[in-house]
Amino acid sequence: MKGPGSRRFFYARALLRALPALLVLTGLFYDRFTPREFTAVPFFTAAPLVAAPLLSLTGTVVAGVASLAGIVVVHLRYGDAGHVDAITEIATVATVAVLAVVINRLVHRSSARLATAREIAEAAQRAVLPEPQERIGGLEIAARYEAAQAGASIGGDLYAVQDSPHGIRLIVADVRGKGLGAVSAVAVLIGAFREAAEQESTLEAVAQRLERALTRETTRREATRRSRIEAIEAIETYEAIEMYEGFATAVLAEFPHGAGLARIVNRGHPSPLLLYADGTLRMLDAPTPALPLGMGELGAWPDRAEEAEFPTGATLLFYTDGLSEARDAHGVFYEPAERLSGRTFPGPRAVLTTLAEEVRAHTGGGATDDMALLAVRRP
């Protein structure tokens, strides 16, 4: 079901598409009910210009022809179509109509390029971030990546799930930055996580492996940046590197085989939400705040996994700040804990679908940050 935000967006879009026709009609009524010395030319010139970015080429041409016909009708009614002022007004509307067609082609060509860039970005994102299996080690898994609607930059949100001898392990993280630099760090973190999840006996040791991997990546990229900073021909690459800030917030979780519990290590990331089968919700806040991955030089605090019961029918939700920091037109944040409390869902995928739809309605389709969602249910 569409929310109020979606309906408002639909009605506003429909009104904008109808605006060129309304302007032509307004011009005709204006001419009909005002003295002869008042001109309706502004309405007739505005119609094709408004149509250019909003309508197709056919719609823009129709708006231009309708405007030109409207101004001709006006002067035929007064019988002065051959007068110099009338010819000037007709020529003005015709010129604007032609310019509107040119603008329409430029706008749609830019939109096509942006759509192609987004398709390439999303393909790269899927290659780096494959969706996990729906069932791993007896747990039901659902993941979802929602790209922001503004721009086509590739984001740094990530998730990964790994079955290991020590249990089901997962990570949800947010590399700070955009572009290829962030994607490179995402690939490094996912690769390091899959290796560490298999080899390390504790979740704390997995977090330390990721810390070292991200630190090495930051050092490598800083060396690359310094070597290229004076090269004019590499300025675009330099800017892409600068968009990677060298750290990532992350939450890691472990579900031991056959045990109804979850162990969690949180490195500066939004707290996971535990949704019980009866609709009760619990936020799994970390008792002691920890620095994000890649910031170890600022201080050393030992990682400590916190345990929480994970009973049958419960769902554990992990997400990036693209969810909790999504804002509406008034700057009000979307609060996932408040929205999900007291509600029940048939499975983890239903939870993620609901969240994506509600965030889209909350922001009016204008989210400014990507969001990664991962839900784990114990059936």
Side-chain angles (χ1 to χ4, degrees):
M1 181 180 293
K2 294 183 178 180
S6 298
R7 288 195 295 271
R8 285 195 296 270
F9 178 77
F10 174 80
Y11 292 140
R13 186 178 179 85
L15 178 61
L16 285 174
R17 287 183 173 276
L19 191 54
L22 292 175
L23 286 169
V24 173
L25 292 175
T26 301
L28 293 173
F29 276 99
Y30 182 85
D31 175 74
R32 176 67 180 80
F33 296 105
T34 58
R36 183 173 182 176
E37 59 267 20
F38 289 85
T39 177
V41 168
F43 297 101
F44 294 125
T45 54
L49 290 177
V50 171
L54 297 177
L55 304 182
S56 64
L57 175 61
T58 301
T60 304
V61 171
V62 169
V65 171
S67 296
L68 188 58
I71 192 66
V72 170
V73 167
V74 166
H75 287 291
L76 287 176
R77 187 169 75 88
Y78 289 117
D80 62 354
H83 194 273
V84 62
D85 290 339
I87 294 174
T88 300
E89 290 185 354
I90 293 172
T92 299
V93 174
T95 302
V96 171
V98 172
L99 288 176
V101 171
V102 175
I103 293 171
N104 175 271
R105 290 298 82 204
L106 293 175
V107 168
H108 284 275
R109 188 174 300 171
S110 298
S111 298
R113 283 199 296 265
L114 180 59
T116 301
R118 173 157 290 282
E119 289 176 2
I120 294 172
E122 291 179 349
Q125 196 85 43
R126 288 193 296 270
V128 175
L129 200 66
E131 190 167 332
Q133 299 176 15
E134 293 185 358
R135 197 175 185 92
I136 302 177
L139 298 178
E140 295 177 0
I141 311 289
R144 186 168 183 141
Y145 190 96
E146 287 284 323
Q149 299 304 306
S153 295
I154 307 173
D157 293 9
L158 67 98
Y159 49 71
V161 183
Q162 182 86 5
D163 195 356
S164 77
H166 315 286
I168 312 301
R169 288 174 167 174
L170 63 82
I171 180 175
V172 174
D174 184 0
V175 174
R176 293 305 175 177
K178 292 281 188 183
L180 297 179
V183 171
S184 176
V186 166
V188 167
L189 277 178
I190 291 180
F193 167 76
R194 294 202 182 282
E195 182 178 349
E198 225 18 75
Q199 298 176 356
E200 299 293 347
S201 59
T202 67
L203 197 60
E204 292 89 340
V206 174
Q208 288 303 311
R209 283 274 290 271
L210 298 182
E211 174 75 35
R212 293 192 294 272
L214 195 57
T215 300
R216 287 194 302 269
E217 173 67 7
T218 302
T219 302
R220 183 187 70 81
R221 296 194 70 81
E222 181 62 23
T224 303
R225 185 189 71 86
R226 285 197 299 267
S227 69
R228 297 180 179 179
I229 194 170
E230 296 179 354
I232 297 177
E233 66 274 13
I235 190 65
E236 291 184 3
T237 303
Y238 167 68
E239 290 176 353
I241 291 172
E242 284 292 279
M243 294 179 74
Y244 165 54
E245 299 175 22
F247 69 94
T249 65
V251 58
L252 295 96
E254 176 183 275
F255 306 91
H257 294 298
L261 63 87
R263 298 191 183 103
I264 295 174
V265 170
N266 195 323
R267 296 294 294 268
H269 200 77
S271 300
L273 301 178
L274 182 58
L275 289 70
Y276 293 95
D278 63 356
T280 306
L281 183 144
R282 176 187 172 196
M283 184 176 288
L284 301 184
D285 292 322
T288 305
L291 290 174
L293 298 172
M295 300 183 70
E297 75 280 0
L298 299 181
W301 288 270
D303 286 304
R304 178 182 173 185
E306 300 294 331
E307 291 191 354
E309 291 186 1
F310 190 40
T312 300
T315 299
L316 196 50
L317 172 66
F318 304 87
Y319 56 92
T320 56
D321 60 10
L323 174 67
S324 55
E325 294 183 3
R327 304 188 191 194
D328 64 11
H330 305 289
V332 177
F333 289 108
Y334 180 88
E335 298 287 351
E338 293 181 6
R339 298 296 188 101
L340 295 177
S341 183
R343 300 167 70 178
T344 59
F345 301 89
R349 189 166 298 279
V351 177
L352 304 191
T353 300
T354 298
L355 287 171
E357 291 175 351
E358 290 188 357
V359 167
R360 198 175 297 116
H362 183 76
T363 61
T368 57
D369 194 9
D370 297 354
M371 67 177 181
L373 307 172
L374 182 65
V376 180
R377 181 176 181 268
R378 185 165 179 245

